[in-house]
Amino acid sequence: MAKNIQSIRGMHDILPSQSASWQYLEATVRALFNSYGYRELRTPIIEPTELFSRGIGEVTDIVEKEMYTFADRNGDSLSMRPEGTASCVRAGIQHGLLHNQQQRIWYTGAMFRHERPQKGRYRQFYQAGIETYGIATPDIDAEVIAVGARLWKQLGLNGIKLQLNTLGSDEARQKYRDVLIDYFSAHEDQLDDDSKRRLHKNPLRILDTKNPNLKELVAAAPNLMDYLDDESKQHFDGLCARLDIMGVAYDINPRLVRGIDYYNRTVFEWVTEELGAQGTVCAGGRYDGLVKQLGGRATPACGFGIGLERLLLLMEAQEIQIPALTPDVYLVLAGEEAQIAGVKLAESLRDSQVNLSLQSNVAAGSFKAQIKRADKSGAEYAFILGGSEVEENTITIKALRSSEEQQTIPQDQLDNFIKEIIFKGK
Ligand code: ATP
Ligand code: MG
């Protein structure tokens, strides 16, 4: 027999049993982003490779090692998107959104990175993010962070801590870069190959290393805070003051540089201790240089990306209750006449009760088998249509989750029953 084809390593099916959690999370995220005035932007999953190499930076893990890049049939180099920001900027420039148009944007969708798959780290994963354009003041950094804080609150998640840092201006970073090169050069024998390669190209990246052997060396490196320019310092103070007013707690982490090149000034991560090494559920910051770098007019920008799988893992770990996707009603159709009459009844109920979730029995089966299916469906009630009900235009209502007594009522009272009993409290 031929071997069954499997999904690609690190790329997973989201099964029907898991989709209630996904839909709940996505609906919550969508409603929250919209409520702050952000509007959705959907971009293609594949982009010209150049967008990411120019946007994210050549000397980054993503572009050096993680991108799914291939030649199109006509030889163009294309890449599966590894993140959402570069595409938002591209689309923003292309459609002129970034100036006095739609300056608050959100997106969600699949991202692709060729990483070593493990819990919370996949080759296809989903992100949801927000981006803001054209606003240079720290009130927008504070708003972006507040949106994250509110999402954790709405989901009922605890223990997600905010790590905050500032990378300063380009000039400050340039100064700091030289200081870092001096520092790491003095300890070059301790560096791993990746870090040696980055030493002169992009020494800040070394601070972001995941190699535990470099931990001490990195911890003792000079701090960017000590080289900060006045304006960036004021910006950072303005952000911190607003976070204080909103009651959003944060830890300042001078080692936080983020794995993507485009950040300046504010950078932050929301981190949990409950997911092991994959503890960052959301990461973002300011990227004032990217729009210009990608060919647009200089435009300040700020945003974040959330890893939805990690958030779902955390929701599971914290046993967050998620509304189940179960029908309100399972329609039992006992006998041949009922099977015919039931089709009409089901559709007319769906006409008059648009919010009703009704699952009809199909492919007949004994009464007992149908009641079993009704129970398994998770429905609150079974509506039972048998020979006598068809004849008398009635319906028998059986509660499946409570000891409510079974009753038979005229079909023309069903709408009332659904409104008064099923939708009461919903
Ligand atoms: P990490 O340090 O964990 O590799 P990153 O800095 O590469 O993360 P970003 O590019 O900032 O991550 O992406 C934002 C968020 O997307 C991360 O904080 C994380 O929650 C999620 N994420 C990133 N890569 C993956 C992945 N391979 N699988 C699942 N989620 C991911
Ligand atoms: Mg990464």
Side-chain angles (χ1 to χ4, degrees):
M1 220 170 62
K3 204 168 139 234
N4 288 339
I5 298 169
Q6 305 284 312
S7 68
I8 295 167
R9 189 165 120 84
M11 303 197 181
H12 298 287
D13 301 308
I14 294 167
L15 301 178
S17 60
Q18 303 165 313
S19 57
S21 312
W22 278 91
Q23 289 186 15
Y24 173 71
L25 176 58
E26 285 166 349
T28 307
V29 163
R30 196 181 299 137
L32 179 68
F33 291 171
N34 283 332
S35 80
Y36 272 81
Y38 292 71
R39 293 294 173 263
E40 186 181 15
L41 172 66
R42 296 194 192 197
T43 60
I45 282 175
I46 302 173
E47 298 270 10
T49 300
E50 193 192 351
L51 174 64
F52 303 117
S53 51
R54 259 170 66 189
I56 298 170
E58 295 275 6
V59 191
T60 56
D61 275 352
I62 294 181
V63 172
E64 280 185 331
K65 316 186 223 177
E66 297 175 356
M67 231 156 38
Y68 281 88
T69 297
F70 56 94
D72 195 2
R73 286 182 189 277
N74 54 18
D76 297 335
S77 180
L78 306 182
S79 293
M80 312 280 285
R81 64 179 180 198
E83 54 102 61
T85 302
S87 300
C88 286
V89 171
R90 184 214 28 84
I93 297 170
Q94 188 173 334
H95 303 286
L97 299 179
L98 308 181
H99 293 270
N100 305 317
Q101 298 298 318
Q102 187 56 45
Q103 294 170 289
R104 288 181 170 98
I105 286 171
W106 66 265
Y107 63 85
T108 183
M111 308 295 162
F112 303 84
R113 296 184 193 179
H114 196 276
E115 305 197 65
R116 193 168 70 76
Q118 50 198 295
K119 190 177 167 198
R121 192 176 293 287
Y122 314 99
R123 290 181 174 175
Q124 174 173 336
F125 62 99
Y126 289 81
Q127 283 186 343
I130 60 176
E131 311 289 357
T132 68
Y133 296 102
I135 307 154
T137 43
D139 46 0
I140 197 72
D141 308 45
E143 177 181 291
V144 164
I145 289 173
V147 172
R150 187 162 301 282
L151 180 60
W152 322 142
K153 195 154 122 188
Q154 285 192 356
L155 293 170
L157 289 169
N158 295 311
I160 305 182
K161 296 217 172 103
L162 178 61
Q163 303 241 322
L164 192 62
N165 193 20
T166 175
L167 300 178
S169 64
D170 289 349
E171 297 76 43
R173 252 189 346 280
Q174 192 59 44
K175 241 191 298 168
Y176 178 60
R177 205 187 114 100
D178 296 340
V179 174
L180 268 190
I181 292 178
D182 287 347
Y183 171 78
F184 284 120
S185 296
H187 301 87
E188 199 167 345
D189 52 325
Q190 294 176 46
L191 296 180
D192 59 14
D193 287 347
D194 260 352
S195 305
K196 276 186 192 144
R197 211 162 28 81
R198 288 171 179 183
L199 180 55
H200 292 278
K201 279 196 195 155
N202 198 345
L204 262 79
R205 282 281 74 75
I206 302 176
L207 300 177
D208 197 38
T209 177
K210 297 216 164 66
N211 184 349
N213 300 331
L214 294 181
K215 219 172 160 185
E216 269 180 43
L217 186 64
V218 164
N223 275 340
L224 203 156
M225 283 281 184
D226 299 331
Y227 300 87
L228 217 55
D229 54 297
D230 285 347
E231 270 180 42
S232 294
K233 173 131 197 14
Q234 271 170 24
H235 186 95
F236 192 62
D237 291 345
L239 168 59
C240 292
R242 285 172 176 82
L243 294 178
D244 292 338
I245 289 166
M246 294 188 297
V248 176
Y250 52 89
D251 288 321
I252 296 175
N253 174 1
R255 290 288 163 266
L256 186 68
V257 293
R258 310 280 311 105
I260 300 177
D261 265 0
Y262 48 60
Y263 290 108
N264 68 307
R265 292 203 173 153
T266 311
V267 286
F268 63 87
E269 291 192 1
W270 288 97
V271 185
T272 169
E273 284 168 8
E274 289 173 69
L275 298 178
Q278 275 61 250
T280 305
V281 294
C282 171
R286 189 163 268 285
Y287 53 99
D288 295 336
L290 184 60
V291 177
K292 187 153 183 234
Q293 196 177 312
L294 290 176
R297 206 162 18 116
T299 306
C302 183
F304 68 57
I306 300 171
L308 294 182
E309 284 84 355
R310 293 187 192 178
L311 215 48
L312 283 165
L313 284 170
L314 191 62
M315 287 165 71
E316 208 177 285
Q318 297 191 3
E319 294 176 12
I320 304 294
Q321 292 302 312
I322 287 153
L325 287 176
T326 47
D328 301 309
V329 171
Y330 189 98
L331 185 58
V332 170
L333 304 171
E336 253 169 67
E337 280 164 16
Q339 280 169 44
I340 301 297
V343 175
K344 197 170 164 208
L345 177 65
E347 286 307 305
S348 75
L349 281 176
R350 290 178 178 122
D351 280 340
S352 60
Q353 301 289 339
V354 287
N355 293 322
L356 183 73
S357 162
L358 179 145
Q359 193 173 320
S360 266
N361 190 77
V362 289
S366 70
F367 180 74
K368 207 172 143 203
Q370 291 194 38
I371 290 290
K372 237 183 172 167
R373 289 176 198 155
D375 194 44
K376 204 173 152 205
S377 76
E380 278 307 304
Y381 290 91
F383 286 180
I384 301 165
L385 198 63
S388 57
E389 281 90 352
V390 172
E391 199 157 300
E392 290 157 21
N393 272 320
T394 58
I395 188 106
T396 297
I397 298 171
K398 180 180 165 64
L400 297 169
R401 317 283 147 204
S402 73
S403 53
E404 245 169 86
E405 212 169 308
Q406 183 167 312
Q407 52 173 326
T408 301
I409 62 169
Q411 283 177 22
D412 59 14
Q413 285 176 23
L414 259 184
D415 276 326
N416 212 32
F417 177 87
I418 291 164
K419 255 191 258 153
E420 296 294 317
I421 308 293
I422 295 186
F423 287 158
K424 202 181 71 188
K426 273 202 182 176

